[in-house]
Amino acid sequence: DGAGGLVPGLEVRIRETYRATARTATAEERPRLWARVNEDWPNYDVYATRTTREIPVVVLTPVDGEG
């Protein structure tokens, strides 16, 4: 975890490889993003009922217009 929750310099592969930064979603962003994630992976909601921790949602931002 970098300063302020930002993780710079990642290399991500989702259909293609690109460089990105990563951060944990804010409290305001999380409900909307969690719902979006669960559209594709509904088992995250199931998993969330089996743990006491809040599952983090990570926001990836392409670097230098990549991605």
Side-chain angles (χ1 to χ4, degrees):
D1 192 7
L6 185 66
V7 180
L10 300 176
E11 187 171 279
V12 179
R13 181 173 179 93
I14 303 173
R15 292 186 205 95
E16 61 186 69
T17 301
Y18 64 94
R19 294 191 52 75
T21 58
R23 64 177 176 81
T24 303
T26 65
E28 294 77 29
E29 294 171 311
R30 192 177 187 290
R32 175 181 57 83
L33 295 174
W34 182 259
R36 175 63 184 96
V37 166
N38 277 279
E39 288 175 13
D40 292 326
W41 299 95
N43 282 338
Y44 279 130
D45 268 339
V46 174
Y47 176 61
T49 66
R50 296 178 181 163
T51 183
T52 57
R53 69 183 182 97
E54 181 176 85
I55 300 168
V57 175
V58 177
V59 177
L60 300 175
T61 303
V63 174
D64 298 327
E66 298 181 32

